[in-house]
Amino acid sequence: MNACRVVLSVNGSVCEVEADPATPLIYVLRNELGLVGAKLGCGLEQCGACAVMADGGKVLSCVRAVSEFEGRALTTVEGLAGGGDLNPVQRAFLETGAAQCGYCTSGLVVALTAYLEAAERPDRRGAVEALEGHLCRCGAHADVLRAVERLVAEAADGG
Ligand code: FES
Ligand code: FES
């Protein structure tokens, strides 16, 4: 291992860690920064469990090197709740019970948050497309779709 200083911006804070710059981002988030919301599933960019946001867009964190993310604004699921208030996606998942074991949930929440923040007029189809590539081994899809429908309705109401 070739450790050196890596500087990241995560959830609005600047963090310095000693790490091999080639280390996949998720290991730094989880093991060095204690941000364990993003989960390591496949480790092959195939399941979506490790999703976080970089400059507002969804990225998978299980393969790409931490050094690629220096100078970018990273947001993990922990950073979505402002001042202790859940963001609309977190609230919709909670209130519709859109999770079973929860392993996939932070990836889904991050993906939907990135979609809703970017979309001019969010709709069900766009939200479902934003979840493509996110696997749920528990089969919570029907509940997740209920959360999606609530979010799209809220967006249409200006909520
Ligand atoms: S752990 Fe990254 S996509 Fe599966
Ligand atoms: S709720 Fe268990 S993997 Fe999705």
Side-chain angles (χ1 to χ4, degrees):
M1 171 166 144
N2 189 12
C4 63
R5 187 168 145 268
V6 176
V7 183
L8 297 174
S9 167
V10 186
N11 299 335
S13 299
V14 175
C15 314
E16 290 187 17
V17 295
E18 288 289 318
D20 183 331
T23 307
L25 174 63
I26 192 166
Y27 292 104
V28 174
L29 294 174
R30 290 180 58 87
N31 300 341
E32 305 298 329
L33 301 178
L35 296 167
V36 296
K39 299 291 189 280
L40 184 62
C42 63
L44 297 167
E45 297 190 330
Q46 299 290 310
C47 75
C50 64
V52 298
M53 287 160 68
D55 300 330
K58 182 189 87 173
V59 293
L60 300 174
S61 64
C62 62
V63 170
R64 292 174 61 183
V66 65
S67 58
E68 284 186 49
F69 296 96
E70 286 191 288
R72 302 187 68 184
L74 294 168
T75 307
T76 67
V77 72
E78 291 91 343
L80 297 181
D85 293 330
L86 299 179
N87 88 350
V89 181
Q90 292 170 313
R91 200 165 51 243
F93 270 60
L94 182 66
E95 291 175 1
T96 59
Q100 291 185 36
C101 78
Y103 206 83
C104 66
T105 308
S106 73
L108 295 169
V109 167
V110 163
L112 279 172
T113 298
Y115 168 69
L116 291 168
E117 288 183 357
E120 247 170 64
R121 277 195 216 140
D123 59 20
R124 186 183 193 278
R125 183 175 175 169
V128 169
E129 282 175 5
L131 297 181
E132 266 176 28
H134 286 260
L135 306 182
C136 172
R137 63 191 172 185
C138 295
H141 306 84
D143 295 324
V144 170
L145 287 177
R146 264 199 294 283
V148 163
E149 280 153 10
R150 173 191 287 220
L151 287 161
V152 168
E154 282 174 3
D157 288 346

